[in-house]
């Protein structure tokens, strides 16, 4: 390796290590703050919290790597330009392409490492972290209840409250509870001004104590006879204090935080596993569509629709088919058509949710497969933006490079997220949704590389203003003549 290559690599690697660790720390802390409420105060030992942070770090690493490559490439090339080392290299006949050649090889290696992380480490870490997080939430289900929205983690209940307060975060304000344990809709509703949750570790029950509330229950659906329905359509009552227990054995877990109950998530599979799973999901989705279409086909009696041969047609037949029947038959035909159409529409509406969810699940797996490959090249893509950008601005340090790096990565991350969301909703194909960010960034990288190679600035204002200035100068000279 030549001295020049060693120097360029050193100039790049020094800020790369620093920025990678800083970005990794910031992203991990962000995840930790989001999940802190479900971890803190649950009697979880320090080793398990450190294990959670370890898995989170492994998950975040593929995301932190391209950011570090982008920022360090801008800083390294900007520092070389700021210290006139570019000018010295060019005067010695060394081109920009020759200077960044060792960095290109290094970035290729980093892209390979990123791919290995995404294909092997990322699924493993996601599997471990998600299961650990869910098991921690189940350790004290009361702590998993979130203020301001309906909580449906506890089977058979929809629970909402405005605020959770107190030292143990077990006091509630403005409580609304829908009891769905009868599997007959929202027949039982309980509201209260205040409430309290009592939940002991290891117990299969969680106790609610409500104060100053109202209780309402409908009996119409549960009553069998008409007489009973008329006699007691509903019951309601106000209370000063109301206490009841909820069975949480289905969600409380068995205390084993390392237990792996969830293994089928698309983010927990490697590329080979995704490749094997996608055909099965597609086959299942196609089978459902085929089955539903057959049901509709048979329900509308489409088999009975056929063409009469020309020999059976008479000259007196009206092209408007209904006009060939008398009034009674017209009514019968229209009623039959309306009934069958309504039945078909009802069937479609009832099956729409199932079909949409099957399609979305397939999209999740399909998009994840292509995104793993596309995102592994993000290091290379962002390098070819950061390197020419740094040589153009000629500024080292964390100031201007940091601002530019954030702006570029926001565009890349927004494009990737936007594309994935569109692909998951079936608006575009999974392939296009995963690669749309690369498609956006590659032309920008080519443009910046061309401008850096030709020693042009980031924006050539004169190229826009000069034609306008010349136009007015020529106009004025004609008036003077």
């Amino acid at each position: 390796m030549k001295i020049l290559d060693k120097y360029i690599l050193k100039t790049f690697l020094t800020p790369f290590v620093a920025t990678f660790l800083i970005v990794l720390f910031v992203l991990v802390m962000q995840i930790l703050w989001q999940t802190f409420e479900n971890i803190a105060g649950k009697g979880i030992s320090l080793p398990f919290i450190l294990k959670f942070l370890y898995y989170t770090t492994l998950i975040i690493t593929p995301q932190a790597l391209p950011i570090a490559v982008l920022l360090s490439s801008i800083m390294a090339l900007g520092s070389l330009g700021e210290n006139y080392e570019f000018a010295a290299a060019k005067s010695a006949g060394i081109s920009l392409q020759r200077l960044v050649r060792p960095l290109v090889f290094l970035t290729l290696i980093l892209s390979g490492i990123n791919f290995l992380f995404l294909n092997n480490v990322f699924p493993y870490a996601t599997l471990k972290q998600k299961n650990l997080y869910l098991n921690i939430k189940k350790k004290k289900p009361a702590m998993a209840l979130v203020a301001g929205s309906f909580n449906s983690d506890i089977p058979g209940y929809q629970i909402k409250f405005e605020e959770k307060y107190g030292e143990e975060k077990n006091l509630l304000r403005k409580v609304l509870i829908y009891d769905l344990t009868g599997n007959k809709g929202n027949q039982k509703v309980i509201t209260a001004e205040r409430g309290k949750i009592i939940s002991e570790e290891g117990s299969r029950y969680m106790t609610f104590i409500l104060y100053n509330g109202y209780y309402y229950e409908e009996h119409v659906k549960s009553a069998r006879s008409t007489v009973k329905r008329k006699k007691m359509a509903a019951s309601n009552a106000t209370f000063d204090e109301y206490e009841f227990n909820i069975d949480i054995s289905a969600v409380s877990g068995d205390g084993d935080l390392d237990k792996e109950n969830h293994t089928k998530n698309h983010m927990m599979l490697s590329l080979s596993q995704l490749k094997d799973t996608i055909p099965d999901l597609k086959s299942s989705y196609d089978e459902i569509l085929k089955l539903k279409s057959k049901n509709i086909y048979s329900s509308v009696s489409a088999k009975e629709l056929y063409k009469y041969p020309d020999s059976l047609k008479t000259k007196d037949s009206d092209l408007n088919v209904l006009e060939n029947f008398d009034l009674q038959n017209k009514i019968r035909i229209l009623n039959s058509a309306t009934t069958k159409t309504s039945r078909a529409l009802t069937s479609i509406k009832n099956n729409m949710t199932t079909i949409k969810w099957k399609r979305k699940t397939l999209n999740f797996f399909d998009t994840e497969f292509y995104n793993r490959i596309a995102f592994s090249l993000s290091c290379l893509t962002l390098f070819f933006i950061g390197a020419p950008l740094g040589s153009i601005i000629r500024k080292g340090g964390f100031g201007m490079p940091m601002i530019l790096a954030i702006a570029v990565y926001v565009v890349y991350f927004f494009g990737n997220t936007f594309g994935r969301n569109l692909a998951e909703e079936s608006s575009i194909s999974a392939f296009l949704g995963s690669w749309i960010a690369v498609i956006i960034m590659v032309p920008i990288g080519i443009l910046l590389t061309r401008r850096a190679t030709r020693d042009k600035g980031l924006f050539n204002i004169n190229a826009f203003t000069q034609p306008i200035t010349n136009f007015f100068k020529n106009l004025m000279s004609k008036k003077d003549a």
Side-chain angles (χ1 to χ4, degrees):
M1 185 182 290
K2 294 183 178 181
I3 296 174
L4 178 62
D5 294 338
K6 289 181 180 179
Y7 179 73
I8 295 294
L9 288 172
K10 182 181 177 182
T11 306
F12 176 84
L13 286 172
T14 302
F16 172 76
V17 174
T19 53
F20 174 72
L21 293 176
I22 292 170
V23 170
L24 191 64
F25 177 78
V26 170
L27 294 177
V28 170
M29 286 300 104
Q30 180 188 7
I31 300 295
L32 180 61
W33 280 117
Q34 290 175 351
T35 56
F36 185 76
E37 185 179 353
N38 293 315
I39 295 176
K42 292 197 172 186
I44 308 300
S45 62
L46 182 61
F48 281 105
I49 295 177
L50 292 177
K51 190 182 291 187
F52 179 83
L53 289 176
Y54 168 69
Y55 294 138
T56 304
T57 303
L58 294 179
I59 293 171
I60 292 298
T61 297
Q63 188 177 342
L65 205 56
I67 303 176
V69 169
L70 174 64
L71 183 54
S72 56
S73 61
I74 297 176
M75 290 173 63
L77 276 295
S79 178
L80 291 174
E82 188 177 23
N83 297 328
Y84 300 101
E85 290 169 301
F86 265 144
K90 287 177 182 178
S91 64
I94 302 173
S95 64
L96 176 64
Q97 291 88 337
R98 173 63 187 85
L99 281 173
V100 300
R101 189 171 67 186
L103 298 182
V104 173
F105 286 115
L106 177 61
T107 309
L108 285 170
I109 294 170
L110 291 175
S111 295
I113 293 171
N114 204 25
F115 175 77
L116 292 175
F117 252 89
L118 286 168
N119 189 41
N120 300 299
V121 180
F122 177 80
Y124 165 78
T126 303
L127 172 68
K128 292 292 186 180
Q129 189 231 41
K130 293 292 183 184
N131 280 280
L132 185 62
Y133 175 65
L134 291 172
N135 292 336
I136 288 172
K137 277 182 70 175
K138 289 179 180 180
K139 194 171 179 66
K140 286 189 179 179
M143 295 296 291
L145 300 177
V146 180
S149 60
F150 280 101
N151 297 269
S152 55
D153 292 335
I154 300 173
Y157 292 88
Q158 290 277 355
I159 302 170
K160 184 180 180 181
F161 47 89
E162 287 188 3
E163 184 184 358
K164 185 164 61 172
Y165 61 99
E167 292 184 4
E168 299 181 3
K169 294 291 182 182
N170 66 331
L171 303 179
L172 311 177
R173 186 175 283 118
K174 298 288 183 182
V175 185
L176 171 63
I177 300 175
Y178 289 113
D179 187 345
L180 311 175
T181 51
N183 295 322
K184 296 177 181 178
N186 299 334
Q187 289 183 241
K188 190 185 296 184
V189 183
I190 306 169
T191 61
E193 290 294 323
R194 296 180 295 109
K196 183 179 181 181
I197 301 175
I198 300 175
S199 176
E200 296 182 4
E201 187 173 339
S203 174
R204 62 172 293 178
Y205 293 101
M206 181 166 61
T207 303
F208 272 81
I209 304 176
L210 304 178
Y211 305 96
N212 302 327
Y214 180 78
Y215 176 98
Y216 175 83
E217 182 177 3
E218 289 184 357
H219 303 286
V220 175
K221 293 180 182 178
S222 57
R224 293 181 180 179
S225 64
T226 308
V227 177
K228 286 185 178 180
R229 290 176 187 175
K230 289 180 179 179
K231 283 184 178 180
M232 191 175 63
S235 61
N236 62 83
T238 57
F239 57 83
D240 295 326
E241 181 178 331
Y242 178 60
E243 180 178 335
F244 65 98
N245 295 322
I246 295 178
D247 188 354
I248 57 171
S249 58
V251 297
S252 59
D254 54 8
D256 185 6
L257 296 179
D258 284 323
K259 191 172 181 179
E260 297 176 3
N261 296 314
H262 303 272
T263 58
K264 301 298 183 181
N265 190 284
H266 57 281
M267 298 176 69
M268 299 175 183
L269 304 176
S270 65
L271 282 174
S272 60
Q273 291 171 326
L274 285 170
K275 193 174 181 180
D276 292 336
T277 306
I278 289 171
D280 294 336
L281 292 174
K282 193 171 188 319
S283 176
S284 175
Y285 174 72
D286 292 340
E287 190 65 31
I288 284 181
L289 289 182
K290 189 176 179 181
L291 180 63
K292 301 304 178 187
S293 62
K294 279 184 177 179
N295 289 340
I296 294 172
Y297 181 80
S298 60
S299 66
V300 298
S301 304
K303 268 187 178 182
E304 297 176 14
L305 297 175
Y306 54 89
K307 288 184 177 182
Y308 283 100
D310 293 337
S311 59
L312 295 178
K313 291 182 180 178
T314 63
K315 293 180 180 180
D316 298 331
S317 296
D318 198 316
L319 293 176
N320 186 352
V321 179
L322 280 175
E323 295 301 324
N324 296 310
F325 299 90
D326 57 25
L327 181 61
Q328 197 68 27
N329 284 323
K330 283 181 184 179
I331 295 171
R332 184 176 59 80
I333 291 168
L334 289 173
N335 285 338
S336 176
T338 303
T339 302
K340 289 179 179 179
T341 305
S342 299
R343 193 182 302 134
L345 287 173
T346 303
S347 176
I348 291 170
K349 286 178 182 178
N350 292 338
N351 295 317
M352 190 66 73
T353 304
T354 304
I355 293 171
K356 279 186 175 180
W357 177 246
K358 281 279 185 182
R359 178 71 244 188
K360 196 165 187 176
T361 303
L362 174 59
N363 290 341
F364 281 141
F365 283 80
D366 219 1
T367 306
E368 184 67 23
F369 177 80
Y370 289 112
N371 189 70
R372 294 269 182 92
I373 301 170
F375 201 79
S376 63
L377 296 175
S378 58
C379 292
L380 195 62
T381 306
L382 294 178
F383 171 78
F384 279 106
I385 292 177
L389 200 57
S391 66
I392 291 171
I393 65 170
R394 297 177 183 178
K395 290 285 183 183
F398 275 95
M400 181 63 75
M402 178 67 79
I403 295 171
L404 291 173
I406 291 172
V408 171
Y409 191 76
V410 164
V411 173
Y412 179 82
F413 183 76
F414 175 78
N416 186 58
T417 305
F418 183 67
R420 288 191 65 170
N421 289 340
L422 287 177
E424 287 167 3
E425 295 297 331
S426 300
S427 300
I428 57 176
S429 67
F431 179 83
L432 180 59
S434 301
W435 285 90
I436 195 167
V438 177
I439 294 170
I440 293 170
M441 302 307 286
V442 166
I444 298 174
I446 293 171
L447 177 65
L448 291 173
T449 303
R450 285 171 62 89
R451 297 191 71 84
T453 305
R454 297 174 182 181
D455 285 331
K456 292 184 177 180
L458 189 59
F459 298 107
N460 189 1
I461 299 175
N462 291 330
F464 298 99
T465 59
Q466 195 65 41
I468 300 171
T469 307
N470 292 338
F471 172 76
F472 282 106
K473 280 183 179 179
N474 293 333
L475 190 65
M476 295 302 292
S477 61
K478 285 179 182 179
K479 283 184 179 181
D480 293 339

